[in-house]
């Protein structure tokens, strides 16, 4: 599941597995073996049975016995962290309560207000050229910058978070990236304990669950990681569907495009790793105790049993997961993607694909369904969107932006990277 053949057409593998049952053996990365569940009913059985299929990666036998390389590109996504993804029972309930109640404080108005200046900033950087790569210049950067904003990251910390999260998802020197991300987030927690604000980091710190610094750091890793990569792919994959339509006026509306992506081009295609407490028969395939059982959300969504049962519609998809570990940020994620796409299409009304849709390349990796590039062309437009933002919106954004301050983390990017430049624009 880690080569270019799988990336180009993962559905062939899901269908091959389905020919023999609801699950089958796969290789996530070199020397990293797992059982992949592609059946919709079987996926729900696993997702709803935490007693038999816990999420705690400390049970992973191959890792504990040294058979998984410590530099494996998938390790950062699978190794245990004390956060909502990798805990069960009372610990999970306590951590999830802190996360969900903090996220519940983000309303639609706040999210749209925060997305608008970031979208304007990114659009201004390429709109005068008449061409762009909407993955690397928009869909990838907007969530990264937005989460820096929602978590109130100062410039230096934000630059590190932006770079290291990208490296982790791309499998680039993940051990180094993970260490630097950890240091940056611990520094952010220290800053917010001393000077709390109106942001998700402060809300987590102030929550009655009383999370310690290690727990706070790992909830932030989960929220940023589980937010940035899926959001990038949701925006990018929905734009492909919209721009592939014939005619003008976006005949496939944004909401429909997002629903189709969640069902058919699931942004996080395979994840939700479980470690069964005993050998389990998954429709004829034995998943050994303490070995990874991964849910293929994309494979389950294409299960023909759904069509037979008349359930093949957007409400039946598993893109948001299910059970106790279902995505806690479904609402915000949907608002972010919708707003980002609306703003882009309004700014560049004649944007079109620069290459045929079937020539687009997909990024290798076992977990995501993600484009490598999304080249487009459009009529050049003036880079005046930031200046045209309402004064009130600029003032509110500026008030919520932290001033850069000296930090103890050694950042390898220039101090005035993308996030630092964005902050400076709001202080003009």
């Amino acid at each position: 599941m880690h080569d270019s053949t799988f990336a180009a057409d993962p559905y062939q593998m899901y269908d091959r597995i389905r020919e023999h049952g609801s699950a089958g053996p796969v290789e996530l990365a070199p020397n990293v073996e797992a059982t992949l569940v592609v059946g919709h009913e079987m996926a729900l059985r696993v997702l709803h049975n935490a007693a038999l299929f816990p999420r705690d990666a400390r049970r992973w036998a191959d890792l504990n016995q040294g058979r998984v390389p410590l530099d494996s590109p998938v390790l950062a996504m699978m190794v245990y962290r004390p956060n909502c993804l990798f805990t069960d029972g009372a610990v999970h309930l306590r951590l999830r309560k802190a996360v969900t109640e903090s996220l519940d404080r983000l309303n639609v108005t706040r999210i749209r207000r925060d997305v608008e200046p970031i979208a304007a900033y990114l659009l201004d950087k390429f709109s005068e050229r008449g061409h762009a790569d909407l993955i690397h210049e928009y869909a990838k950067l907007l969530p990264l910058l937005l989460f820096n904003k929602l978590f109130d990251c100062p410039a230096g910390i934000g630059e590190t978070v932006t770079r290291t999260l990208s490296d982790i998802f791309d499998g680039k020197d993940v051990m180094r990236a993970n260490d630097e991300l950890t240091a940056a987030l611990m520094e952010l927690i220290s800053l917010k304990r001393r000077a709390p604000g109106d942001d998700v980091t402060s809300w987590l710190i102030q929550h009655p669950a009383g999370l310690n610094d290690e727990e706070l750091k790992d909830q932030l890793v989960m929220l940023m990681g589980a937010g940035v990569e899926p959001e990038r792919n949701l925006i990018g994959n929905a734009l492909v569907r919209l721009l592939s339509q014939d005619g003008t006026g976006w005949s496939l509306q944004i909401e429909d495009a997002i629903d189709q992506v969640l069902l058919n081009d699931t942004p996080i295609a395979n994840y939700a790793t479980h470690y069964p407490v005993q050998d389990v028969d998954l429709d004829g395939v034995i998943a050994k105790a303490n070995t990874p059982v991964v849910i293929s959300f994309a494979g389950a969504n294409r299960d023909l049993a759904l069509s037979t049962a008349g359930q093949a519609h957007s409400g039946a998809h598993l893109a948001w997961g299910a059970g106790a570990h279902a995505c806690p940020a479904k609402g915000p994620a949907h608002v972010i993607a919708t707003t980002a796409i609306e703003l882009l299409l309004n700014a560049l009304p004649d944007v079109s694909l620069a290459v045929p849709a079937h020539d687009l390349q997909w990024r290798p990796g076992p977990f995501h369904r993600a484009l490598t590039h999304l080249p487009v062309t459009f009529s050049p437009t003036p880079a005046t969107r930031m200046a045209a933002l309402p004064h009130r919106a600029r003032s509110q954004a500026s008030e919520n932006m932290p001033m850069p301050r000296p930090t103890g983390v050694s950042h390898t990017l220039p101090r005035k990277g993308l996030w630092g430049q964005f902050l400076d624009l709001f202080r003009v």
Side-chain angles (χ1 to χ4, degrees):
M1 294 175 64
H2 50 86
D3 61 15
S4 58
T5 300
F6 175 77
D9 187 3
Y11 306 108
Q12 287 188 10
M13 174 176 285
Y14 306 149
D15 292 342
R16 286 201 306 271
I17 293 173
R18 207 185 323 276
E19 289 175 1
H20 303 284
S22 299
V26 295
E27 185 180 68
L28 300 176
N31 299 311
V32 181
E33 297 179 349
T35 302
L36 188 70
V37 177
V38 298
H40 191 273
E41 182 181 356
M42 183 64 72
L44 288 175
R45 285 173 54 189
V46 174
L47 290 167
H48 284 286
N49 192 343
L52 182 57
F53 296 98
R55 301 288 287 268
D56 190 337
R58 290 174 295 185
R59 307 179 61 88
W60 189 0
D62 282 353
L63 179 62
N64 293 336
Q65 295 165 17
R67 290 191 289 271
V68 175
L70 293 181
D71 60 351
S72 172
V74 300
L75 203 58
M77 294 285 289
M78 297 179 68
V79 72
Y80 172 80
R81 300 178 190 269
N83 64 29
C84 296
L85 281 177
F86 299 101
T87 53
D88 302 287
V91 174
H92 172 258
L93 288 175
R94 171 174 164 268
L95 296 176
R96 186 174 173 92
K97 184 177 177 65
V99 167
T100 56
E101 292 183 357
S102 296
L103 292 177
D104 285 346
R105 298 177 68 170
L106 293 173
N107 57 43
V108 172
T109 301
R110 162 107 182 229
I111 293 172
R112 291 186 66 92
R113 185 196 74 196
D114 288 346
V115 170
E116 183 179 13
I118 294 171
Y121 168 63
L122 295 175
L123 287 163
D124 275 357
K125 293 180 74 66
F126 61 74
S127 66
E128 293 182 338
R129 295 202 313 255
H131 63 88
D133 175 357
L134 292 185
I135 294 299
H136 291 277
E137 296 184 86
Y138 194 74
K140 177 180 179 178
L141 298 178
L142 187 143
L144 284 167
L145 297 181
L146 177 63
F147 274 74
N148 276 346
K149 172 67 176 66
L150 295 177
F151 291 86
D152 200 16
C153 294
I157 293 176
E159 299 291 358
T160 301
V161 168
T162 299
R163 173 173 49 82
T164 55
L165 279 175
S166 295
D167 288 349
I168 287 172
F169 277 109
D170 290 337
K172 296 179 180 177
D173 197 1
V174 293
M175 295 181 70
R176 183 268 311 156
N178 184 64
D179 289 344
E180 293 183 9
L181 176 62
T182 295
L185 292 179
M186 292 299 282
E187 185 180 11
L188 175 63
I189 291 165
S190 177
L191 290 172
K192 301 310 283 183
R193 282 199 185 278
R194 297 197 304 268
D198 185 29
D199 56 82
V200 177
T201 308
S202 298
W203 300 337
L204 282 170
I205 290 171
Q206 295 162 352
H207 192 273
L211 276 59
N212 61 38
D213 284 2
E214 188 72 13
E215 291 173 327
L216 286 165
K217 178 259 296 180
D218 283 297
Q219 304 328 299
L220 293 176
V221 170
M222 178 199 69
L223 287 169
M224 291 180 175
V228 168
E229 175 72 11
E231 200 70 54
R232 158 189 174 161
N233 302 338
L234 183 55
I235 294 169
N237 296 356
L239 282 170
V240 170
R241 287 186 171 267
L242 286 161
L243 300 180
S244 299
Q245 300 305 298
D246 294 328
T248 59
W250 312 118
S251 58
L252 178 63
Q253 297 301 309
I254 294 172
E255 291 286 343
D256 291 338
I258 289 175
D259 284 343
Q260 289 189 21
V261 165
L262 293 171
L263 182 64
N264 297 309
D265 276 321
T266 316
I268 293 298
N270 310 289
Y271 201 40
T273 309
H274 302 74
Y275 300 87
V277 299
Q278 63 190 47
D279 291 0
V280 181
D281 186 340
L282 300 178
D283 196 13
V285 173
I286 303 300
K288 295 291 187 180
N290 302 320
T291 63
V293 172
V294 176
I295 302 299
S296 177
F297 304 116
N301 286 349
R302 292 169 62 92
D303 192 339
L304 292 177
L306 288 179
S307 300
T308 303
Q311 301 178 40
H313 55 80
S314 61
H317 71 70
L318 293 181
W320 305 112
H325 291 272
C327 176
K330 174 181 175 180
H334 200 282
V335 173
I336 292 166
T338 302
T339 305
I341 295 170
E342 284 178 352
L343 292 169
L344 184 140
L345 296 181
N346 287 337
L348 309 173
D350 66 346
V351 61
S352 61
L353 293 176
V355 298
H358 57 77
D359 286 342
L360 294 171
Q361 303 295 309
W362 297 89
R363 199 166 96 236
F367 303 123
H368 50 244
R369 179 63 171 164
L371 289 161
T372 58
H373 302 280
L374 182 53
V376 296
T377 59
F378 47 84
S379 298
T381 60
T384 57
R385 293 167 191 83
M386 284 291 291
L389 285 175
H391 175 73
R392 181 181 178 187
R394 290 176 60 87
S395 298
Q396 286 176 333
S398 181
E399 290 169 4
N400 289 326
M401 294 294 181
M403 292 292 289
R405 53 192 106 175
T407 68
V409 178
S410 176
H411 304 291
T412 58
L413 281 188
R415 191 68 169 181
K416 293 297 175 66
L418 192 67
W419 180 238
Q421 294 171 27
F422 177 70
L423 293 181
D424 282 349
L425 283 173
F426 276 95
R427 285 192 290 272
V428 173

